[in-house]
């Protein structure tokens, strides 16, 4: 997408935000920590519960499958009870089910509790994005950077926390997450005031109707392929690396640091110079090459490529978020719900299929498939490039007007 001013926001304006924004962003960090939390302890969970890698991978599958379907519900709930109550409901569910996850005595129990966790996380994360976009000073550019900063920091700290607590017991990271989300619950309660409810209530079908827009459907389709690659790296690579929790946590911490830096600092600069769609297509192709080398390299190369993938994933996350929020004429919460509904299915599929593909073939082939899906994501962007640019440019004035409306009070 060619834009003269994509995500161009100064550090000063980015940091001068209402307390409500910081409270929501801080809780978002912990929410995203929960995604990568289990990475360094996956082998430990498998050993502790006498489970296979394929069974343990269902922790991701159940989590993201429920998350995907919950995206159709989040707008319906928030438009009726309000954004603040939806955030608090999501946080409460995460606290309960993260705590229960730590008490599991079987893989089936843990998978079930992770599904409940996914429902809470969906209610929180999708609403948090809408809150930050509406409340942030500096418009959607600053809001997206704040949201991606929270995502990157959470993705970086999640594996580190998982490693530090998981070295003693695989149960402790779940209890730690529950405690941190309880703190987030208190922060939202204290600092976020209830927002005015929309004039029109969102129906359960609105996110699906929004996908009837060609631009949003194209972004969602490309993101679907990309997310398969992303979560092959996140959920399957720990079994390939087969490292101690500390070492695995260090690898994914470095991965998360690159993700954060490239999503917040590097991606906007690349967009200003080359345009969003060029950057996205190039980053997807580089990610495809990276995971292919990861699959066929020796152990040291696999570690290096795992860390390096964080850079490409960081760039992709920022560009996809901007495209999803700005390419259609649907209200941003509705567009985000439709987009996430599609892409989270891939996040559920990759952890399920990758270990099974390994069982049917060998450890290299899951990464070949991941490379192919990244290329497919780039192909969708290339084929739909003209429509994406035209549709986004036509909608820029409307979104600029929306960004000038203050919805939340400090």
């Amino acid at each position: 997408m060619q834009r003269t001013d994509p995500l161009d926001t100064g550090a000063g304006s980015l940091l001068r935000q209402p307390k409500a924004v910081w409270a929501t962003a801080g809780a978002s960090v912990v929410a995203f920590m929960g995604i990568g939390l289990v990475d360094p302890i996956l082998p430990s969970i498998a050993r502790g519960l006498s489970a296979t890698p394929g069974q343990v991978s269902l922790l991701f599958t159940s989590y993201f499958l429920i998350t995907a379907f919950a995206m159709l519900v989040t707008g319906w709930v928030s438009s009726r009870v309000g954004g603040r109550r939806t955030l608090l409901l999501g946080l409460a569910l995460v606290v309960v089910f993260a705590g229960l996850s730590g008490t599991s005595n079987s893989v089936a129990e843990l998978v079930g509790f992770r599904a409940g966790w996914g429902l809470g996380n969906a209610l929180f994360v999708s609403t948090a994005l809408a809150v930050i976009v509406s409340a942030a000073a500096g418009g959607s550019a600053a809001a997206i950077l704040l949201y991606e900063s929270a995502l990157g920091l959470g993705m970086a700290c999640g594996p580190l926390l998982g490693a530090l607590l998981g070295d003693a017991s695989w149960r402790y990271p779940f209890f730690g997450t529950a405690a941190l989300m309880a703190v987030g619950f208190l922060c939202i309660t204290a600092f976020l005031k209830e927002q005015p409810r929309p004039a029109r209530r969102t129906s359960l079908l609105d996110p699906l109707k929004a996908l009837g827009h060609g631009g949003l459907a194209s972004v969602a389709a490309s993101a679907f392929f990309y997310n398969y690659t992303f979560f092959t790296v996140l959920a399957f690579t720990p079994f390939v690396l087969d490292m101690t929790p500390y070492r695995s946590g260090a690898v994914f911490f470095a991965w998360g640091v690159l993700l954060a830096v490239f999503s917040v600092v590097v991606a906007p600069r690349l967009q200003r110079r080359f345009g969003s769609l060029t950057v996205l297509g190039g980053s997807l192709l580089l990610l495809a090459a990276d995971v292919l080398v990861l699959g066929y390299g020796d152990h040291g190369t696999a570690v290096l490529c795992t860390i390096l993938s964080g850079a490409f994933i960081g760039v992709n996350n920022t560009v996809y978020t901007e495209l999803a929020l700005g390419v259609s004429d649907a209200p941003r919460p509705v567009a985000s719900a439709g987009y996430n509904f599609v892409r989270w299915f891939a996040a559920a599929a990759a952890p399920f299929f990758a270990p099974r593909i390994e069982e049917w073939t060998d450890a290299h082939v899951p990464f070949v498939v991941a490379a192919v899906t990244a290329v497919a994501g780039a192909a969708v962007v290339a084929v739909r490039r003209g429509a994406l640019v035209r549709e986004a440019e036509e909608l820029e004035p409307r979104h600029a007007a929306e960004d000038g409306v203050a919805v939340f009070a400090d």
Side-chain angles (χ1 to χ4, degrees), residues 210-221 323-324 327-328 384 387-388 391-392:
L211 290 170
H213 184 278
L216 183 61
S218 299
V219 174
L323 286 172
V327 78
S328 78
R384 293 289 297 167
L388 288 170
E391 291 162 352

Side-chain angles (χ1 to χ4, degrees), residues 277-347:
L277 296 184
T278 298
V279 170
L280 181 59
S283 182
L284 286 168
L285 293 177
L286 289 173
L287 178 62
D290 180 79
V291 296
L292 199 59
V293 175
L294 192 164
Y296 281 92
D298 58 22
H299 189 267
T301 302
V303 169
L304 180 61
C305 288
T306 299
I307 295 172
L308 184 59
S309 70
F312 308 124
I313 289 170
V315 171
N316 294 338
N317 286 348
T318 291
V319 180
Y320 273 120
T321 301
E322 182 190 358
L323 286 172
L325 293 182
V327 78
S328 78
D329 56 357
R332 280 179 168 140
V334 174
S336 177
Y339 159 75
N340 282 297
F341 171 71
V342 173
R343 75 183 183 108
W344 286 127
F345 275 110

Side-chain angles (χ1 to χ4, degrees), residues 94-150:
V94 172
V95 170
V96 170
F97 284 104
L100 288 173
S101 294
T103 68
S104 301
N105 292 314
S106 68
V107 173
E109 285 185 8
L110 187 52
V111 169
F113 292 143
R114 280 282 285 182
W117 187 342
L119 173 60
N121 209 56
L123 288 169
F124 175 81
V125 170
S126 62
T127 309
L129 176 57
V131 168
I132 292 174
V133 166
S134 298
S140 64
I144 290 172
L145 286 185
L146 281 170
Y147 185 77
E148 293 301 331
S149 298

